[in-house]
Amino acid sequence: MHILVMEDDPVLGDILVDYLSELYTVDHAYHSDEVYALLDKNSYDLFIFDINVVGKNGLRLLQELREFSYTTPTIFITAYKDTKHLTQAFEAGAHDYIKKPFELDELQARILNLKRIFNLDQQTSIQLSSDLVFNPKTKTIDKENQTISLGQKNTLILEYFLKNKARIISNDELMQNVWDYDSLPSEATLRSHIRDIRNIIGKEKIKTIRSEGYIYE
């Protein structure tokens, strides 16, 4: 499981990263600009955001991400004790909320709960069919005794489809969850990526739903 932590306190940030890195793949951002830069390069299974950070706070950041169709499960961590911020966190799209100070074991329990609810089990390889194995970490597919390179964007696109099987995904949702919000591609570019993936895994796996988007079956 790949986790993105946004925490501007360097001490707490290091503690969280050290602890979580023993169990998961973890990236650390100090503020929202770094979050967007990392989202341009990586796909994440879970966000852990502090609310009160320098610049754009965690609430505003998550609101923006939800508007851009990021559905990634999110836990807020905060020193606020009032119910107002708790309410705002859930209104912004959070799935859980933990108040400082907290035990690391409590955070892990909350992560495991979301992992169970959203089926976030980490997989080093994914069997797509009897003769296709997808390796997200190496960005490759093993097919008929050969290894085919997917590249960064095609890997992120395929990962997103696999996390949202049997659900129609619009072009906007797909682009906003794979590309940085400042560099969204044209629909022609997206179609080109879909075509490349289909040529590797088979045209029947990703179906086009006219005027709505795509579905992975």
Side-chain angles (χ1 to χ4, degrees), residues 77-89:
I77 55 177
T78 181
Y80 291 115
K81 305 295 183 183
D82 58 281
T83 56
K84 173 185 174 182
H85 285 90
L86 173 66
T87 301
Q88 290 176 339

Side-chain angles (χ1 to χ4, degrees), residues 101-199:
F102 55 85
E103 297 291 334
L104 293 173
D105 287 346
E106 180 184 352
L107 177 61
Q108 169 64 352
R110 293 174 184 273
I111 292 172
L112 290 175
N113 184 51
L114 291 183
K115 186 177 178 181
R116 176 184 56 81
I117 292 171
F118 291 96
N119 192 27
L120 301 177
D121 288 328
Q122 186 179 29
Q123 293 176 288
T124 56
S125 63
I126 302 169
Q127 193 83 33
L128 300 181
S129 64
S130 60
D131 61 344
L132 288 172
V133 178
F134 174 40
N135 304 290
K137 287 190 175 181
T138 59
K139 303 177 180 62
T140 60
I141 284 182
D142 295 331
K143 180 180 182 180
E144 299 173 349
N145 297 319
Q146 62 175 322
T147 299
I148 303 170
S149 177
L150 278 177
Q152 177 72 14
K153 293 302 183 188
N154 288 349
T155 296
L156 293 175
I157 291 170
L158 184 52
E159 281 187 301
Y160 197 77
F161 275 125
L162 292 172
K163 290 177 184 176
N164 296 275
K165 287 182 180 179
R167 181 172 75 80
I168 297 174
I169 301 171
S170 69
N171 289 2
D172 285 345
E173 178 180 344
L174 193 54
M175 289 188 288
Q176 290 162 2
N177 278 277
V178 173
W179 277 266
D180 181 75
Y181 76 108
D182 283 334
S183 58
L184 296 178
S186 66
E187 293 196 0
T189 297
L190 178 59
R191 288 196 298 270
S192 177
H193 283 285
I194 298 294
R195 182 171 60 250
D196 290 343
I197 296 171
R198 282 172 167 163
N199 287 338

Side-chain angles (χ1 to χ4, degrees), residues 14-27:
D14 287 347
I15 291 172
L16 291 174
V17 171
D18 287 347
Y19 175 77
L20 295 173
S21 294
E22 294 182 4
L23 303 166
Y24 311 105
T25 301
V26 182
D27 288 330

